[in-house]
Structure formats: C-alpha cells, structure tokens
Amino acid sequence: MAADLSQIVKAYDVRGVVPDQWGEELAELFGAAFVQVTGADGIVVGHDMRPSSPGLAGAFARGAAARGADVTLIGLCSTDQLYFASGQLSLPGAMFTASHNPAQYNGIKMCRAGAAPVGQDTGLSEIRTLVEGWSEEGAPEPAAQAGTVSERDTLGDYAEYLKSLVDLSAIRPLKVVVDAGNGMGGHTVPTVFDGLPLELVAMYFELDGTFPNHEANPLDPKNIVDLQARVLAEGADLGLAFDGDADRCFVVDERGEPVSPSAITALVAARELAKTPGGTIIHNLITSSSVPEVVRENGGTPVRTRVGHSFIKEEMAKTGAIFGGEHSAHYYFKDFWNADTGMLAALHVLAALGGQEGPLSELVESYDRYYGSGEINSTVADQAARTAAVKASYEGQDGITMDELDGLTVTGPDWWFNLRASNTEPLLRLNVESDDPVTTQWITEHVLGMVRATG
C-alpha cells in the first residue's frame, strides 16, 4: 500500500516528527521528486541546527543527484539565507527546518529558482504523489548520469547583499540585545552585524536544536521574557528575537515593551516608499489599520490579502509590490526575490532608529495607532455554524460592512474584527482592533460570547 503522507505534507511545506513520521529514506525520495517536478538540472540545499537536519539534507541531496541534478550544499543556514542562495544562483532550493516546532520535528521548505514558493498548488501535491508511489514501488530508476554534490559557503555573500539594501553607514552607535533562541540567528547575526556601529549583546547564540532555554517562537509572549529583562538590565536601545530558522524577527523597544509587527510593517513600508515613491505595499487582513493608513500617507498603494505567505508572495508577484508584511512578523521584500527575511526588516529598524536621536518607543508611536486584542483562539465543534451565528448578529446593522476574503471581517465606524477558521485544528481565531482599549475589550467579549456559546 502506498504511504499516506497527508500527515506530513502541509499547505506550504513538509513537516513531521523524526523518525516516527519520516526520516532519511523518505527525504531521499523527496529529493528525487523535487527534481522531477521542478525539472531542475541543479538545486541548492541548506539546513538548520536540529540534530536530524544534516542527515535529512544529505539524503535529499543523494535523491536529487541520482535523478541527474547537480546539488550545491550550503550547510547550516537560516531559511532566508537559503532563499538568498536560490535567488542569487537562480536554482530551486530546499531548506531543512521545522522553524519553531519542538526538537523532535523536522521539515522541508522548498522553492523554485529565484525563491518562488512551492506550495500545495505549485508543485507540492505532485511531489507528495510521487513520493507516496515510490515509497510503495521503490525509488525511480537513476538517471543515466548522476549529478554532482558540492559545497559552498554563502553566509558572507548573504550578509553583504542584505547590507547593500539598507544604508547603515551614518547611524549613531546602538546597543542591541539579540535572542537567537539557540536557532539560526546565532549563526547569521554575527556576520551580518560585523562592521556596523552596534554593540551586540548575544543571548542563546549556541546552535542547539533541542532548544534548552525556550521555544524559538518569539510570537509567544513567554519566549521573549528573557530578552525583555536583558534589554532593561543592559540599558540597550532595542532587542531583537529570531525564530528557529531565523526568517522571522520580533522587536522589543528600550523599555522592554514588544513592538507590534504591524508597527514594524508600517515603519519599513514608509522607508521602502521613500526609496520607491508610489510603490505598492501588501498587508494581510489582520495587520493593523495603521499599515494601510501609513502607506497612503507616504504616497503608496496598500493591497490587502489573505493570511499566509503563499498569498502574500502571489500578490507581490502580481502587483509588483515593493514590500509586504504580516502580523506574524514575516516581512517580504521585492529586493529579496519577494521572499521573507526578518534580518532585512531588522536592519531597516536599526537604520531608522540610528538615523535619529529619539528612543525606539517614540519612533514607532506614529506607526502604532490603535488597540488590538492580539489573536485569540477558541476550540469549537462547528467552525462554520459559529461563524454564521456571529455574521447573523451583525448583518443589516447601519454603518457596518462585512467581507469574506479570509474568514469573516466585520467593520464598524471605529473598529473591526476578523474571525477565521484554522485549516489544521478545530479552532476559530479572533482579531479585534479599535480606537480605544474599552471598545476593543467590549467587541472581543461580545464576539467570544457567541463563538464560545454552548448549546
């Protein structure tokens, strides 16, 4: 019987527990399938610091080379460093990481040449079908001529490329605390920051895929507590936290307060629009209203999309957008092959802060105008029925508009909320924002009352 890979092949990547759900044997088949689906005669492969990553990456490379593709191994890298290599070398790429998942997980993020995403509708389902078939019938016949496997160090080139996109030459000296969470930021930050007028205070830079200090997921408030305390203790200008594969970056101001990813999106958007006047900026529908406002104030065109990187990248390609941001601290740049890079966003924050005299909290004030609830998850038996109940309660009311671009968005005179279903769990996710904290709390409680109603 063919293997059923539905548990590990997700919407955008491969992810599962090693060795229980997958291992090197399947990784080799994924390498062969990747070459077949992309038609590539060369690919680039990188991996994070998880104990299983080097073995999985090596197996994938063997499978790809057996199908005739030349494989360039770039070794330890962040996900955005793999995207850089894919873009710079014009090769499809595969990154072995499970991002912020616990240590026993691993996965593969794949892209076509130029870092174009491979997701369910762009090749991932064909790759899955091939691997399922081959795991039953045995691997495909090797190509008449096997590809080569070589190694290449891209870290220095990656760092130089990022620094060519943001002018940091004239910034004032800054003290910055970086929490790498034992993830790939510990590998990339020292090289990227080298030569800049920064005093770096390093936290958890030792690469350790067992995450001994805390989960490498800075979106969860408990994982930035250490960083917040250290910023205050050091009297630092700011703090940065990276996730496990260092493609997301979270910012803390000089008071140890988290800066919302929406405020960072607005700040970077304003800077990108200064470089490219009149440009288009993409934001997902649960980023703050301050994002499209700032974009318009700076002469740009905001475009609202569904949540998820494949939608953002698709819209960026379609509109020629110069930048895109998500509430989850993913930041996408046209200058970076439309791919996401937290490191480039961090450099923009450093350039903006270092280019003026005030503290970060003051700098971001103008970009952070509203009161948000944050994302609140509710476990429900019937997502559709609960959403319909909420919709019915607001339908037909004066001054209220609705849309269903991604879940249900209801907009009032000075507030909005979005309620959307999780694709993977029986959850409804609620985000609320308004002009004042009392309204935000009231709307939140009102909607949750309906979502969580029993009977």
Side-chain angles (χ1 to χ4, degrees):
M1 190 186 95
D4 175 15
L5 298 181
S6 60
Q7 290 306 299
I8 67 165
V9 180
K10 311 291 186 186
Y12 313 120
D13 59 12
V14 175
R15 207 173 288 199
V17 176
V18 178
D20 306 17
Q21 291 180 298
W22 75 297
E24 292 183 17
E25 209 172 301
L26 274 180
E28 198 165 324
L29 297 179
F30 273 110
F34 182 61
V35 167
Q36 182 151 326
V37 169
T38 57
D41 49 17
I43 66 166
V44 59
V45 179
H47 65 80
D48 71 7
M49 66 294 140
R50 290 165 186 270
S52 59
S53 290
L56 292 170
F60 187 94
R62 282 196 302 279
R67 300 295 282 155
D70 293 332
V71 181
T72 303
L73 296 174
I74 64 169
L76 278 168
C77 64
S78 60
T79 291
D80 64 322
Q81 192 184 328
L82 184 277
Y83 292 150
F84 163 78
S86 169
Q88 197 77 335
L89 304 172
S90 293
L91 293 174
M95 173 69 187
F96 282 79
T97 180
S99 186
H100 60 273
N101 280 74
Q104 66 272 28
Y105 283 80
N106 216 323
I108 325 172
K109 292 182 177 179
M110 290 172 269
C111 59
R112 294 177 188 267
V118 169
Q120 207 62 271
D121 306 328
T122 47
L124 196 52
S125 53
E126 294 99 299
I127 289 170
R128 173 186 156 182
T129 302
L130 286 172
V131 174
E132 284 178 342
W134 290 340
S135 61
E136 180 192 12
E137 301 147 15
E141 280 299 305
Q145 189 173 350
T148 59
V149 178
S150 59
E151 293 181 9
R152 180 174 179 142
D153 182 4
T154 59
L155 180 57
D157 292 343
Y158 157 81
E160 286 311 308
Y161 182 72
L162 290 180
K163 287 187 277 194
S164 75
L165 299 176
V166 182
D167 184 8
L168 292 144
S169 59
I171 66 168
R172 62 187 166 94
L174 297 170
K175 187 173 191 178
V176 55
V177 182
V178 177
D179 181 343
N182 299 107
M184 292 313 303
H187 177 70
T188 56
V189 167
T191 304
V192 175
F193 284 13
D194 187 42
L196 299 175
L198 303 170
E199 184 185 339
L200 171 62
V201 179
M203 294 180 69
Y204 313 141
F205 270 41
E206 311 72 34
L207 299 182
D208 187 338
T210 66
F211 306 112
N213 295 291
H214 59 72
E215 275 181 14
N217 179 18
L219 270 194
D220 186 333
K222 70 174 184 286
N223 297 322
I224 61 163
V225 171
D226 293 1
L227 174 65
Q228 292 171 295
R230 191 70 179 270
V231 166
L232 289 172
E234 295 279 348
D237 293 292
L238 76 163
L240 302 172
F242 289 92
D243 67 343
D245 59 337
D247 60 349
R248 286 188 299 152
C249 181
F250 200 84
V251 182
V252 166
D253 70 20
E254 80 290 347
R255 305 166 307 169
E257 295 294 324
V259 180
S260 90
S262 286
I264 300 297
T265 298
L267 179 150
V268 177
R271 288 177 53 81
E272 287 288 336
L273 285 165
K275 269 197 324 195
T276 312
T280 297
I281 305 286
I282 308 292
H283 64 99
N284 76 25
L285 50 67
I286 54 176
T287 49
S288 170
S289 298
S290 57
V291 174
E293 282 175 16
V294 167
V295 169
R296 288 190 190 98
E297 286 161 15
N298 285 271
T301 305
V303 173
R304 180 173 173 266
T305 72
R306 295 178 62 182
V307 174
H309 78 255
S310 63
F311 301 114
I312 298 258
K313 286 176 177 172
E314 203 177 292
E315 205 61 46
M316 284 190 74
K318 201 158 74 182
T319 60
I322 56 175
F323 173 65
E326 291 204 86
H327 69 296
S328 52
H330 278 287
Y331 305 105
Y332 306 79
F333 294 83
K334 184 177 188 175
D335 287 345
F336 201 78
W337 301 277
N338 289 341
D340 45 322
T341 163
M343 189 67 80
L344 185 49
L347 293 182
H348 272 285
V349 172
L350 291 166
L353 179 60
Q356 49 89 69
E357 289 308 313
L360 184 58
S361 58
E362 275 177 27
L363 176 66
V364 297
E365 229 168 44
S366 61
Y367 302 115
D368 202 1
R369 305 171 177 182
Y370 300 101
Y371 296 88
S373 63
E375 192 150 270
I376 302 165
N377 291 322
S378 304
T379 303
V380 295
D382 188 336
Q383 294 164 319
R386 287 286 159 230
T387 304
V390 172
K391 183 181 177 182
S393 81
Y394 284 94
E395 224 151 19
Q397 288 189 35
D398 278 353
I400 285 180
T401 58
M402 295 188 192
D403 74 69
E404 295 181 71
L405 171 66
D406 190 354
L408 172 70
T409 302
V410 178
T411 305
D414 52 8
W415 55 266
W416 61 265
F417 71 81
N418 172 269
L419 185 67
R420 57 188 229 292
S422 162
N423 294 322
T424 51
E425 301 166 274
L427 297 176
L428 282 175
R429 307 188 193 282
L430 174 66
N431 284 269
V432 182
E433 184 178 81
S434 84
D435 285 359
D436 70 277
V438 176
T439 304
T440 297
Q441 190 178 349
W442 189 87
I443 301 273
T444 302
E445 288 171 3
H446 181 237
V447 177
L448 285 180
M450 290 182 280
V451 168
R452 296 174 177 176
T454 51

